[in-house]
Amino acid sequence: MRSTLLSRAFVGLRSIRSTALVTQDSRRNCCSFTQRRASYGCMNLPSLAAPNFGFIRRTATTSPSARIITSAIHSIAHKEPVVSAEWLHANLREPDVKVLDASWYMPDEQRNPFQEYQVAHIPGALFFDVDGISDRTSKLPHMLPSEEAFAAAVSALGIYNKDGVIVYDGKGIFSAARVWWMFRVFGHDKVWVLDGGLPEWRASGFDVESSASGDAILKASAAREAVEKVYHGQLVGPTTFEAKFQPHLVWMLEQVKQNINDQTHQHIDARSKPRFDGIALEPRKGIRSGHVPGSKCIPFGQMLDNSHTLLPAGELTKRFEQAGISLDRPVVTSCGTGVTACILALGLYRIGKTDVPIYDGSWTEWGSVSDTPVTTA
């Protein structure tokens, strides 16, 4: 009798969670992310962190009607920003685990991430288009979309707020960190990067799917189309994901300007030292070389080991301290276009700094504006 009651209570809880999903009105007027920041900046939005949440695993007991509820990742849910290939392999079929291939490459690499996804990806993974799920009103590459656009795109991928999201890329840890940060910016803390990405998955001997299903291709296309519709004020389908913008995780150009004088945050640039010093040309045309006055350079590769997995906390701490960063003070990170800055944020998260903002426009914006100060070596 007691087992039956427990089973019914669990089913009831699942039902309540399902009916509690919030459906947004996708016909709200959408403005650019930059315009929205001004209004969000004066709001004190709460964090959505839920430290007691874990994925639910259900295993049969001696009684067919009874279930034991255990947490698969409760111990690492809000302490670690990454999960191992072994963990993902063991939990890949859990219904609340959604896997995203967020591969993206520099333009000069001439690689097509969506084509590569269709050739080989982790079983069941969906493709997250870094360039497509972005602010369509900005001339800068892959800037953050609006709340409405992100919610519409993620909903098109079939993701709910209750889901745990695992993000990976084709390099190890590269663009996946950007998407990890994007989910957190929009209030979803149940997100992790696959440590070592697809290379580590394959090196561990785990299978990949060599062709994408029609459903997966349709979802990737639907996510891009949903963003387009939102920015054109068109009706989109019902949303399964509610986005809640967290302004403290994003910086804009004016905040970086102000910080040069105020020095409230230590500014770390993730680009290579030659680019930081202004010795090497920027990969994009029309961008000045150099760095923001007062910033320091820690190339993103210093966060990773030779297998492109995230370094242990102790080693990460040494890297930051050797670069003159005081971990007792606030930090803001930037890079070329807001991608590898997120790898610095990933490393800082592992050592306990979980509220690091990213300068979204990064050097592509700063170096292309005529009135921004630039320092060279």
Side-chain angles (χ1 to χ4, degrees), residues 42-373:
C42 63
M43 297 173 64
N44 183 21
L45 296 178
S47 168
L48 296 187
N52 293 322
F53 184 89
F55 294 138
I56 302 298
R57 293 195 64 152
R58 296 180 293 277
T59 55
T61 65
T62 53
S63 171
S65 62
R67 301 286 184 182
I68 295 179
I69 303 173
T70 60
S71 173
I73 59 169
H74 178 78
S75 62
I76 65 170
H78 294 280
K79 296 177 182 178
E80 284 289 341
V82 297
V83 296
S84 68
E86 290 75 16
W87 183 92
L88 180 58
H89 184 260
N91 293 277
L92 191 59
R93 302 303 178 186
E94 291 295 323
D96 292 341
V97 175
K98 301 294 174 65
V99 183
L100 298 177
D101 183 328
S103 298
W104 175 89
Y105 304 104
M106 292 290 291
D108 60 358
E109 293 181 85
Q110 297 184 344
R111 295 176 64 175
N112 187 315
F114 186 54
Q115 287 182 359
E116 292 186 17
Y117 161 79
Q118 294 179 76
V119 171
H121 59 269
I122 292 174
L126 296 173
F127 184 74
F128 186 102
D129 188 346
V130 172
D131 284 328
I133 303 175
S134 62
D135 182 358
R136 300 304 175 85
T137 68
S138 175
K139 295 180 180 179
L140 299 171
H142 46 251
M143 293 295 95
L144 277 173
S146 66
E147 277 182 312
E148 293 91 341
F150 187 82
V154 171
S155 295
L157 291 171
I159 295 174
Y160 293 75
N161 291 94
K162 66 181 177 61
D163 291 331
V165 179
I166 311 299
V167 193
Y168 74 90
D169 60 58
K171 283 193 169 183
I173 292 182
F174 189 63
S175 52
R178 167 81 183 183
V179 177
W180 166 80
W181 171 72
M182 288 176 70
F183 271 91
R184 293 178 59 242
V185 166
F186 290 112
H188 191 75
D189 287 333
K190 296 186 287 293
V191 58
W192 296 265
V193 171
L194 175 61
D195 206 7
L198 187 60
E200 181 67 17
W201 177 269
R202 303 184 83 157
S204 300
F206 301 136
D207 292 337
V208 296
E209 288 180 341
S210 58
S211 62
S213 68
D215 180 64
I217 293 174
L218 286 174
K219 284 182 176 179
S221 177
R224 291 190 296 269
E225 291 175 1
V227 174
E228 288 281 359
K229 287 181 178 180
V230 168
Y231 277 97
H232 285 90
Q234 299 174 2
L235 182 67
V236 296
T239 55
T240 60
F241 183 91
E242 180 185 10
K244 291 186 177 181
F245 178 56
Q246 308 294 304
H248 66 284
L249 293 177
V250 189
W251 269 29
M252 299 298 172
L253 185 142
E254 292 303 320
Q255 290 168 287
V256 179
K257 279 185 177 181
Q258 188 66 37
N259 191 61
I260 294 174
N261 297 321
D262 295 349
Q263 290 293 300
T264 59
H265 288 61
Q266 301 165 100
H267 186 160
I268 311 177
D269 191 323
R271 293 176 300 152
S272 68
K273 194 66 163 61
R275 289 175 66 186
F276 180 85
D277 288 339
I279 298 172
L281 294 175
E282 286 297 305
R284 291 177 172 81
K285 294 181 180 179
I287 309 298
R288 292 175 292 165
S289 298
H291 59 268
V292 176
S295 61
K296 296 181 179 180
C297 180
I298 304 180
F300 73 89
Q302 292 192 23
M303 303 293 101
L304 311 174
D305 63 17
N306 292 334
S307 62
H308 292 275
T309 58
L310 195 61
L311 288 171
E315 186 60 34
L316 289 168
T317 298
K318 289 180 182 178
R319 299 287 172 96
F320 286 109
E321 290 179 342
Q322 288 171 355
I325 301 300
S326 172
L327 296 175
D328 294 328
R329 294 184 55 220
V331 171
V332 60
T333 67
S334 67
C335 56
T337 62
V339 174
T340 59
C342 300
I343 300 176
L344 295 183
L346 196 75
L348 288 161
Y349 193 104
R350 169 164 268 186
I351 59 178
K353 296 188 75 65
T354 60
D355 57 352
V356 174
I358 307 296
Y359 170 27
D360 196 25
S362 280
W363 191 254
T364 298
E365 179 178 42
W366 190 270
S368 64
V369 179
S370 60
D371 65 345
T372 51

